[in-house]
Amino acid sequence: MPRPGKNSYSDQKPPYSYISLTAMAIQNSAEKMLPLSDIYKFIMDRFPYYRENTQRWQNSLRHNLSFNDCFIKIPRRPDQPGKGSFWALHPDCGDMFENGSFLRRRKRFKVLRAEHMTCKSSPMMHYFHHHHHHPGTAPPNVGRLPHFQGYGGITCAQPGGFKHPFAIENIIGRDYKGVMASGLPLTSVMHHLGYPVTPQLSSMVNSMWPHVGMLSESMGGVSVPASSEYAPFSVSAKGLYHNANGQTLPAVPVPIKPTPSLGPVPGLTGLQSGPAQICSPGVIMQPLLPSMILCLHNTGVGCLWNHNIT
DNA sequence: ATCTGTTTATAAATTG
DNA sequence: CAATTTATAAACAGAT
């Protein structure tokens, strides 16, 4: 047909929307999540069209990432440093392009929620970064998950907009809001999402955060009693961790109760301080949430790592 | 400085 | 056609 352009076929704009291109990139990845730069790379690698005007389309793509609920942001673990977060597909977004058109979805995926507040980060705990130590081990929740109803229709903010200074969202990191508001026990949420919740982990979670044992919707609301049994959260999120040099670290280690059942390992000291210890031998890292990692040492001493909290 | 990420605004394209 | 979805631009905050 009349081909006005002088571009070769491969240089033509691919018939895919940014959403589909991004989804392709993410699904193509082993862990079903990619940092922004790798999404760029994926697209540029296979579509020559996008090797030009990068400024333009990358801005559009970033816009799509944060604008569309079908993409969720997963904080990096402190032991996997790098720029930006990982991006994944919301597990509930299903087959957005089942109609065969990658240009336009049949309908926009929107996270169910109460009118006002947007809390896109609420379902963030669907994915956890996995260690690469065991290549055979797949990420716990890649792709389809049974629907998780917990955070549907959750009020994330008071209609009035006023937020008590001790409102949970002012105390804890934003990423926790969804969990906090889910109305479910954290461990059951984790289990439901396919995360292996061992009895040991479960009891530990419950002993560390009794109040989390029953996540209540009200915790996502306005105020938290001043007395607040939520102290552990406020400590870990509010408190800033200063190392010996007086630097403020992005993560706040919170000592937790030792578990006597585990014996000490010779030659290793307990976890007391900074990030350096995280990857030491004898340390088990249990991602509880993408931005919350439980580090357990064989000695039974542990750390709760909160990161991405500012 | 550059890269990420969020947000608002507006135009264009597609569908029913 | 109107409603919805996508594309682009741009301002801006934060992080590295």
Side-chain angles (χ1 to χ4, degrees):
Chain A
M1 295 295 97
R3 257 289 76 88
K6 37 233 148 244
N7 290 345
S8 73
Y9 174 78
S10 68
D11 287 343
Q12 293 298 111
K13 177 165 185 161
Y16 307 119
S17 65
Y18 290 121
I19 292 180
S20 43
L21 288 169
T22 307
M24 286 166 58
I26 291 171
Q27 294 203 297
N28 180 258
S29 70
E31 310 252 2
K32 309 303 174 196
M33 63 173 95
L34 286 178
L36 181 61
S37 59
D38 286 352
I39 298 175
Y40 292 160
K41 207 174 306 169
F42 174 94
I43 293 173
M44 295 174 79
D45 279 353
R46 19 216 110 203
F47 304 104
Y49 174 87
Y50 289 108
R51 290 172 196 163
E52 287 165 1
N53 303 311
T54 54
Q55 209 65 39
R56 198 189 316 169
W57 69 263
Q58 292 184 350
N59 182 20
S60 298
L61 190 135
R62 287 196 306 275
H63 162 79
N64 271 273
L65 280 174
S66 45
F67 182 75
N68 290 291
D69 280 348
C70 56
F71 300 117
I72 60 179
K73 214 174 51 173
I74 294 159
R76 279 178 187 272
R77 297 191 346 192
D79 63 322
Q80 297 176 338
K83 266 190 174 176
S85 306
F86 285 84
W87 290 95
L89 290 167
H90 192 295
D92 291 347
C93 70
D95 287 327
M96 291 185 292
F97 305 101
E98 69 176 11
N99 54 5
S101 167
F102 292 87
L103 201 53
R104 192 186 175 88
R105 294 170 293 178
R106 41 186 178 139
K107 67 180 177 218
R108 191 201 298 263
F109 170 78
K110 268 296 184 188
V111 169
L112 322 169
R113 65 164 65 95
E115 344 287 343
H116 287 88
M117 190 74 174
T118 39
C119 34
K120 183 181 174 183
S121 57
S122 53
M124 54 58 180
M125 67 305 213
H126 286 263
Y127 297 88
F128 298 103
H129 300 206
H130 244 223
H131 315 73
H132 280 188
H133 306 355
H134 313 292
T137 312
N141 295 305
V142 171
R144 305 287 166 282
L145 282 166
H147 272 228
F148 169 53
Q149 313 283 8
Y151 45 77
I154 293 301
T155 304
C156 293
Q158 208 67 356
F162 170 75
K163 297 213 179 64
H164 189 282
F166 293 123
I168 199 68
E169 57 253 60
N170 287 334
I171 295 175
I172 66 176
R174 251 220 314 259
D175 281 350
Y176 296 99
K177 224 166 21 179
V179 194
M180 301 304 290
S182 71
L184 295 174
L186 176 56
T187 48
S188 86
V189 168
M190 292 165 66
H191 176 260
H192 188 87
L193 295 171
Y195 189 80
V197 180
T198 65
Q200 191 183 27
L201 175 60
S202 174
S203 72
M204 171 153 303
V205 165
N206 289 330
S207 67
M208 287 166 62
W209 311 297
H211 56 285
V212 178
M214 186 53 67
L215 296 169
S216 75
E217 199 168 322
S218 66
M219 294 171 69
V222 252
S223 62
V224 171
S227 68
S228 202
E229 8 164 14
Y230 312 129
F233 271 110
S234 72
V235 165
S236 54
K238 266 181 88 149
L240 291 174
Y241 176 65
H242 300 276
N243 67 7
N245 304 324
Q247 292 173 303
T248 301
L249 299 181
V252 184
V254 177
I256 60 176
K257 295 178 197 165
T259 42
S261 52
L262 298 171
V265 158
L268 286 174
T269 57
L271 283 182
Q272 296 287 348
S273 53
Q277 307 235 12
I278 277 198
C279 295
S280 302
V283 175
I284 304 165
M285 298 195 20
Q286 287 272 25
L288 296 181
L289 301 168
S291 55
M292 179 194 296
I293 292 162
L294 178 64
C295 305
L296 266 188
H297 191 264
N298 298 26
T299 60
V301 182
C303 259
L304 173 64
W305 278 89
N306 255 338
H307 70 110
N308 259 31
I309 292 180
T310 50

